Amino acid sequence: MAHSYTPGLKVTRCTLLKRRRLLPIKGRVVVNRGDMVEPETVVACTELPGDVFPVNVANLIGVSPKDVAGAMLKQKGEAVEKGETLARSSSFFGLFKSEVAAPASGIIETVSGITGQVIIRGAALPVEVRAYIKGRVVDVFPEEGVEVETVATFIQGIFGVGGEVSGILHVTSESPGQILSEDLISSDQRGCIVVGGSVVTAGALRKAVECGVAAIVVGGIDDRDLRDFLGYDLGVAITGSEELGITLIVTEGFGTIDMAGKTFAYLKENEGRLVSVNGATQVRAGVIRPEIVIPIATAAEEICYSAEEPVLNEGNLVRCIRTPYFGRIGRVTALPHELQSMESGAVVRVLEVQFENGEQCILPRANIERIEEK
Amino acid sequence: MSIPDPDSIKVILATDCGSTTTKAILFEKVGDEYRQTFRGEAPTTVEAPFEDVTRGVLNAAQEVEELSGRKILDENGGFIKPACGKDGIDVYISTSSAGGGLQMMVAGVVRRMTAESAERAALGAGSIVMDTIASNDRRPPHQQIQRIRQLRPDMILLSGGVDGGARSHVVELAELIAAADPKPRLGSTCKLPVIYAGNKEVQEEITRILGDKTDLDLVANLRPVLENENLGPARDRIHDLFMEHVMQQAPGYRKLMSLADVPIMPTPGAVGLIIQNVAERKGLNVVGVDIGGATTDVFSVFDGNFNRTVSANLGMSYSISNVVKEAGLENVLRWVPFEIDERPLRNAIKNKMIRPTTIPQSLSDLIIEQAIAREALRLAFIQHRDFATTLSGIQQERSISDAFEQSGGGASIVSMMKLDLLVGSGGVLSHAPSRCQTALMLLDAFQPEGFTTLAVDSIFMMPHLGVLSALHPQAAAEIFEKDCMIYLGDCICPLGNARPGKACFSLRLESSDGFVLERELSYGELALLPLGTGEEARAVCRPERNFDFGAGRGRVVEKVVRGGEVGLIIDCRGRPLTLPQEALARTRQLAEWMKILEIYPADRFESVVKAYGGVAERSV
């Protein structure tokens, strides 16, 4: 049987999931191997070197750079408080004095005799890394972080904004095609991960932020609504650091698109569970897609691993990801070897698909993604 | 690496390890000449789960093996060398931009002087410049330090001050770098490589400040005097450090380096090299463009001066939405010969951004994508023209004839009237369903003036030929001419504007076999004359008094023009090219031009335009 390689998003009912939780620089790991952790548990912490404040003392007190060291009231390595006099010069037999105050509290790191510049290093910035998902610590990397493992229902979205949050899963839409409108959002959903259907409206997004909803998971969003919500037009899909008061995960794409039936079903059957989501997306080399992790009470040994490779075969379920059939779902009926000419004139590798309504069509292989069925 | 004698090289395998795809190409000596014979590709394997670039290389080589019937790989995953009959290869060479390529930060004292020279050196070496720090870049020092800390470049190039000139500013920059204590992007345990190429008299101070905190390298000043740049030593050192540091850290690269017979080059560096070679060999002014999924690189050589720019986030897949954002949707839509609703179009563009590997299936999709490509190319070229300038800060020697010329240092050296050859590369240009589409995209985006040859890289092999040119210049030159460059044809584009329909110029064309064609061209006209690949004709152009072919307004110009796969294009649409403001007139005009060049199949084009409101039906 003919087959070919194809990418696709993971939508899995039960999988063993591991997440490395690492510090940006070396620090201290505060949990042990085997510990059970909640999403908010701090697993490692460190301190980043403080901000740097350069002060051109020579210019400010009117001395030559080589005389700055002599004018300093505090020396290299000493602490200064914001507003404290850092250096002083006097002229005309002490009649006129010039002073410079420290712009920030910190430690004097350098005093340059060439440029007359003094550099103050501010207080260290504490950094904490949390577990993000509920699970067990299975590995500890000394001074760096840990690996947390959980058995979970795992769903990848296609695009998201906002970072890591956790909350109780709340499915508001009755079907994958229902629009998530303002009236479906209420203050009862504070801290929840709210699931909608085909699209979220701009009004619903705004109200969700007002009501303190932690995240929204939905099939689609209109580009204009996203632009209004972000306050700018997104040029490249590298997200995750937005501070919008909510995380948004889109499972299908831009526009009004029914959420894939399987995705919606998995979310529906896990309603009420504690889930972790991350909107961070990076569509570049080293691709990162947003994710929904729903830890479930299954022992690791009981997992039925999916042995499927990302290979496309006849009979596979696929989703069209480009016009003119964007969003439609069908089954592969043939994978011809020969290149074929499309309406655009492009001569490409193709596949034949039969849609759910029986309609048959030929598509470029690049314009579909496979939907896993397990 | 033992490099065989060039005369004994018969079979060469070259790969380019891109961010997503590794392209392998086989070059062979066929009779007395070198030719490109087979091509294969495979996904790049720098990322997890493979984390070994050589797997992608071997997979791509395996595809070449299957297509060519030549046994290339041995049982241990190495190459069979040397070639013997239908087995093996003589040489393996490679370029790489995988894992984000070479990412640098540069610093200089004055933004338009030493900092710009440093930027030129870094770009010329094939790197992406993440940021340029200068003493006068209007950012307060703490912001500059914050920026250095945030970006984790592969290396920093620090310059500033002419030899024997001011000391304190460049030392201050070194102090900022030291305070930021930057870490390299790859290999967290290594020190960040810093190249110092500034005032040689402060090398000692720089070593004292940066010597312990960074992996410091001192090279000759890249701006020893204001009047001259000396970019070679800094550029060479960047190449060395790219090999020693960056490549050593990337997954599988040590193995790749051991397989390669000459040092691996950054992909844009290799393309730049081949463009420079062409310009030098033929004595031409050349502009080359490589439009990719994420970035667009523009290369130019004018009067021997080479420049390269990288327009980050102007590309046709990952960055497609950014092109629309930067250009404005109205500028994209001015190239579309039908009216389309903004909302679904914006959603479709975003969908391409998040699923960047999809391709246009419908003709309307293709037309829109090519409209976006015009804007990506236009914006990238504007950036290039602004960057490729004469040196700033120089006292100009002026003769009496220059008395009314206002241009001083810092003027762009890119002159469209002086441009001889425009070469396009990258998927949207190289793989356009018709070469006429490529020609019109180049014309619309670059708007060449006078007489210019248009060409396209047939299958994106300029990187491979660039690295080959370092090993075997003759083979690279032969293959470039015979297999890489597809000549689309010359274009004749008078400079000037008039009212539509007014007389523009008269053309007399004499072919070598005595055939004569005479034609009056009107302003706004686009014409295609049949002149095939390898054919030449003598063109005599008599412009009206407000049009110029480079000899001055209204002056006759004679020139030999060459044909190509598209033909000889006459473009009287004006420079700068202005389109009708009113939507119906604009779409009607575009449809007419597209039909003249037959860039889309007529029947499909009619039905697409009709489906979107039938403008073409009313117009033609």
Side-chain angles (χ1 to χ4, degrees):
Chain A
M1 190 189 279
H3 67 267
S4 77
Y5 172 83
T6 181
L9 299 175
K10 283 247 174 264
V11 179
T12 315
R13 173 170 273 142
C14 181
T15 189
L16 185 66
L17 207 70
K18 290 181 179 182
R19 286 288 174 268
R20 284 195 174 189
R21 312 296 296 161
L22 301 176
L23 290 163
I25 57 168
K26 286 193 174 180
R28 203 159 47 91
V29 175
V30 295
V31 290
N32 297 309
R33 193 183 171 129
D35 285 358
M36 294 302 294
V37 288
E38 294 292 318
E40 295 303 314
T41 308
V42 174
V43 294
C45 55
T46 189
E47 289 186 332
L48 285 176
D51 286 337
V52 170
F53 302 92
V55 193
N56 201 311
V57 171
N59 287 349
L60 292 170
I61 60 171
V63 299
S64 68
K66 65 178 173 16
D67 295 330
V68 166
M72 292 292 291
L73 301 181
K74 296 272 178 135
Q75 300 308 314
K76 188 176 164 184
E78 288 187 319
V80 284
E81 291 297 318
K82 184 177 179 180
E84 190 181 344
T85 305
L86 191 64
R88 182 180 293 145
S89 71
S90 57
S91 53
F92 284 105
F93 308 102
L95 281 177
F96 300 104
K97 285 194 170 75
S98 289
E99 289 183 350
V100 58
S105 301
I107 307 287
I108 297 173
E109 193 168 271
T110 60
V111 178
S112 171
I114 294 225
T115 62
Q117 184 157 255
V118 171
I119 288 176
I120 299 169
R121 171 84 60 185
L125 309 166
V127 175
E128 288 181 341
V129 172
R130 292 171 197 276
Y132 167 52
I133 53 173
K134 180 179 176 174
R136 182 187 299 278
V137 176
V138 290
D139 215 342
V140 172
F141 311 103
E143 300 182 336
E144 288 183 59
V146 300
E147 187 163 63
V148 180
E149 181 184 280
T150 191
V151 177
T153 296
F154 179 63
I155 297 165
Q156 279 183 320
I158 189 76
F159 169 77
V161 288
E164 296 172 348
V165 288
S166 59
I168 300 299
L169 194 65
H170 185 94
V171 182
T172 57
S173 297
E174 287 172 9
S175 73
Q178 190 180 357
I179 293 170
L180 180 55
S181 52
E182 213 171 326
D183 54 300
L184 292 174
I185 304 288
S186 71
S187 51
D188 300 345
Q189 296 157 356
R190 174 171 294 278
C192 287
I193 312 296
V194 172
V195 178
S198 58
V199 71
V200 60
T201 65
L205 264 178
R206 275 193 301 272
K207 192 170 174 193
V209 175
E210 282 165 24
C211 293
V213 170
I216 282 181
V217 180
V218 71
I221 185 168
D222 198 277
D223 168 61
R224 189 174 58 185
D225 292 339
L226 180 71
R227 203 163 64 234
D228 291 346
F229 185 59
L230 289 173
Y232 56 88
D233 193 6
L234 199 69
V236 288
I238 297 176
T239 66
S241 58
E242 301 78 14
E243 290 182 2
L244 303 162
I246 196 166
T247 290
L248 170 72
I249 294 180
V250 173
T251 59
E252 316 302 315
F254 285 87
T256 301
I257 319 158
D258 289 3
M259 185 182 284
K262 185 176 155 191
T263 307
F264 189 78
Y266 285 179
L267 292 169
K268 189 89 182 157
E269 68 191 40
N270 283 296
E271 185 155 17
R273 282 191 197 273
L274 176 67
V275 307
S276 299
V277 305
N278 186 359
T281 307
Q282 180 180 303
V283 187
R284 278 284 158 99
V287 63
I288 298 170
R289 294 289 183 185
E291 62 180 18
I292 302 149
V293 180
I294 313 171
I296 49 178
T298 303
E301 308 79 61
E302 293 169 31
I303 300 167
C304 45
Y305 289 99
S306 161
E308 288 181 281
E309 287 179 21
V311 167
L312 191 68
N313 290 303
E314 286 170 20
N316 284 156
L317 197 64
V318 293
R319 178 195 285 115
C320 301
I321 54 174
R322 177 106 191 201
T323 51
Y325 301 101
F326 184 80
R328 293 184 68 176
I329 289 172
R331 279 196 191 277
V332 179
T333 51
L335 290 161
H337 283 296
E338 306 75 35
L339 303 178
Q340 288 195 31
S341 176
M342 299 284 98
E343 186 206 84
S344 63
V347 179
V348 294
R349 295 189 82 191
V350 298
L351 49 71
E352 286 176 27
V353 170
Q354 182 167 39
F355 292 123
E356 285 156 330
N357 64 359
E359 187 190 345
Q360 285 256 332
C361 76
I362 291 174
L363 298 168
R365 288 193 193 181
N367 289 359
I368 58 100
E369 66 190 10
R370 190 178 154 187
I371 300 175
E372 281 183 33
E373 292 185 82
K374 282 186 182 167
Chain B
M1 287 175 204
S2 60
I3 303 167
D5 169 26
D7 291 339
S8 69
I9 298 174
K10 303 273 188 296
V11 187
I12 303 152
L13 181 72
T15 56
D16 171 52
C17 309
S19 323
T20 45
T21 315
T22 298
K23 281 87 57 181
I25 291 181
L26 195 67
F27 301 123
E28 292 178 270
K29 195 162 189 179
V30 183
D32 289 337
E33 56 181 20
Y34 287 94
R35 300 299 299 256
Q36 180 268 323
T37 50
F38 294 95
R39 182 182 186 275
E41 63 178 48
T44 296
T45 49
V46 170
E47 315 280 346
F50 307 105
E51 292 182 342
D52 178 0
V53 72
T54 59
R55 287 189 62 169
V57 166
L58 298 178
N59 289 343
Q62 198 176 353
E63 196 165 312
V64 170
E65 199 173 59
E66 284 163 14
L67 292 168
S68 65
R70 172 175 291 277
K71 192 163 164 48
I72 295 173
L73 301 167
D74 64 23
E75 311 76 55
N76 307 318
F79 295 118
I80 299 169
K81 287 187 202 168
C84 181
K86 284 293 279 175
D87 284 352
I89 55 171
D90 294 312
V91 171
Y92 168 66
I93 53 180
S94 189
T95 60
S96 173
S97 58
L102 169 61
Q103 301 184 11
M104 288 186 68
M105 188 168 214
V106 302
V109 170
V110 181
R111 179 70 191 85
R112 297 284 304 193
M113 291 165 72
T114 45
E116 198 170 272
S117 296
E119 204 175 329
R120 248 192 286 276
L123 287 164
S127 100
I128 292 165
V129 175
M130 302 165 91
D131 201 352
T132 302
I133 304 278
S135 302
N136 68 337
D137 68 10
R138 296 188 182 173
R139 283 178 286 191
H142 71 272
Q143 270 184 22
Q144 292 175 324
I145 292 171
Q146 201 62 31
R147 187 76 180 139
I148 301 169
R149 281 173 76 169
Q150 271 171 2
L151 299 176
R152 295 182 64 162
D154 292 317
M155 65 183 89
I156 292 180
L157 173 61
L158 169 64
S159 67
V162 296
D163 283 343
R167 306 161 68 98
S168 63
H169 285 99
V170 68
V171 173
E172 196 171 290
L173 283 171
E175 285 170 359
L176 296 185
I177 294 170
D181 195 11
K183 298 280 177 277
R185 183 169 62 107
L186 303 169
S188 54
T189 52
C190 307
K191 286 182 185 172
L192 179 78
V194 174
I195 302 168
Y196 175 69
N199 183 353
K200 67 180 180 193
E201 292 188 2
V202 289
Q203 286 187 347
E204 207 174 297
E205 275 302 318
I206 300 289
T207 308
R208 188 182 58 75
I209 297 164
L210 291 173
D212 291 339
K213 288 196 166 183
T214 65
D215 195 342
L216 181 68
D217 237 292
L218 305 171
V219 300
N221 193 349
L222 52 76
R223 197 81 184 258
V225 289
L226 269 186
E227 291 75 15
N228 277 320
E229 278 179 340
N230 176 31
L231 306 181
R235 245 184 227 168
D236 292 346
R237 196 69 200 116
I238 292 168
H239 274 295
D240 295 346
L241 288 173
F242 176 66
M243 289 291 287
E244 288 166 20
H245 282 255
V246 185
M247 300 298 263
Q248 294 281 358
Q249 303 299 333
Y253 272 89
R254 278 171 206 241
K255 202 160 135 198
L256 185 68
M257 285 157 72
S258 69
L259 291 174
D261 291 299
V262 294
I264 296 161
M265 269 190 202
T267 305
V271 177
L273 198 60
I274 197 77
I275 299 270
Q276 279 174 280
N277 286 350
V278 174
E280 196 179 320
R281 211 174 51 246
K282 299 190 165 192
L284 300 177
N285 292 322
V286 181
V287 167
V289 62
D290 175 19
I291 177 166
T295 60
T296 297
D297 280 30
V298 182
F299 307 83
S300 72
V301 184
F302 278 87
D303 302 324
N305 292 306
F306 171 70
N307 276 286
R308 168 185 168 244
T309 47
V310 186
S311 296
N313 297 331
L314 289 179
M316 288 308 296
S317 57
Y318 302 105
S319 316
I320 193 166
S321 176
N322 199 56
V323 175
V324 178
K325 181 182 165 185
E326 296 278 321
L329 190 64
E330 61 288 356
N331 274 330
V332 171
L333 291 180
R334 69 191 167 129
W335 303 113
V336 179
F338 46 80
E339 293 212 57
I340 183 166
D341 287 345
E342 184 178 328
R343 202 172 169 138
L345 175 62
R346 282 190 180 275
N347 282 333
I349 291 165
K350 285 285 191 298
N351 280 321
K352 167 88 180 183
M353 172 186 80
I354 56 175
R355 291 181 168 104
T357 54
T358 61
I359 54 175
Q361 178 174 3
S362 64
L363 184 56
S364 57
D365 247 20
L366 180 77
I367 292 170
I368 291 164
E369 226 170 89
Q370 293 184 345
I372 297 171
R374 284 170 170 86
E375 285 302 301
L377 294 167
R378 181 181 69 85
L379 294 175
F381 193 48
I382 289 173
Q383 288 181 12
H384 185 82
R385 290 177 79 145
D386 289 347
F387 178 77
T389 58
T390 54
L391 296 182
S392 300
I394 302 172
Q395 194 83 30
Q396 300 286 308
E397 270 184 38
R398 287 171 190 274
S399 65
I400 190 73
S401 62
D402 302 322
F404 298 103
E405 280 236 359
Q406 293 299 308
S407 65
S412 181
I413 59 172
V414 175
S415 158
M416 297 316 282
M417 192 57 91
K418 284 165 73 180
L419 175 65
D420 300 304
L421 173 64
L422 175 57
V423 189
S425 183
V428 72
L429 295 173
S430 293
H431 300 309
S434 123
R435 298 288 187 203
C436 298
Q437 293 165 12
T438 310
L440 195 57
M441 278 188 273
L442 290 172
L443 274 179
D444 290 345
F446 290 88
Q447 301 188 23
E449 296 164 3
F451 299 80
T452 312
T453 302
L454 304 180
V456 65
D457 176 0
S458 60
I459 53 165
F460 188 59
M461 66 166 111
M462 285 205 284
H464 307 76
L465 293 179
V467 65
L468 178 61
S469 69
L471 172 76
H472 201 316
Q474 180 216 337
E478 277 183 29
I479 299 164
F480 185 80
E481 277 305 319
K482 291 181 190 123
D483 298 312
C484 174
M485 285 270 272
I486 302 282
Y487 285 98
L488 304 173
D490 281 6
C491 60
I492 302 177
C493 316
L495 173 66
N497 287 94
R499 279 207 310 277
K502 290 279 281 181
C504 182
F505 78 102
S506 65
L507 170 72
R508 182 185 161 85
L509 212 57
E510 288 177 28
S511 68
S512 49
D513 55 6
F515 179 79
V516 176
L517 180 145
E518 289 192 351
R519 188 161 167 178
E520 299 297 321
L521 280 303
S522 305
Y523 180 75
E525 209 175 325
L526 187 67
L528 180 64
L529 304 178
L531 197 62
T533 305
E535 292 176 355
E536 286 186 356
R538 196 172 67 88
V540 183
C541 300
R542 292 174 193 281
E544 294 296 313
R545 62 194 171 100
N546 48 338
F547 289 96
D548 184 3
F549 281 103
R553 284 170 183 254
R555 296 203 172 200
V556 180
V557 171
E558 274 191 48
K559 194 133 184 164
V560 172
V561 289
R562 289 170 188 83
E565 280 204 8
V566 173
L568 178 66
I569 303 169
I570 318 291
D571 182 357
C572 301
R573 298 178 300 165
R575 293 293 183 266
L577 196 165
T578 39
L579 295 165
Q581 290 289 313
E582 197 267 320
L584 183 63
R586 179 184 52 78
T587 50
R588 183 179 291 177
Q589 180 71 81
L590 284 173
E592 211 171 291
W593 288 335
M594 287 172 174
K595 284 195 150 196
I596 288 166
L597 248 59
E598 296 175 356
I599 72 169
Y600 304 114
D603 52 336
R604 291 186 210 162
F605 184 63
E606 280 289 347
S607 57
V608 165
V609 174
K610 207 167 164 184
Y612 281 92
V615 173
E617 192 184 42
R618 288 195 295 273
S619 64
V620 286

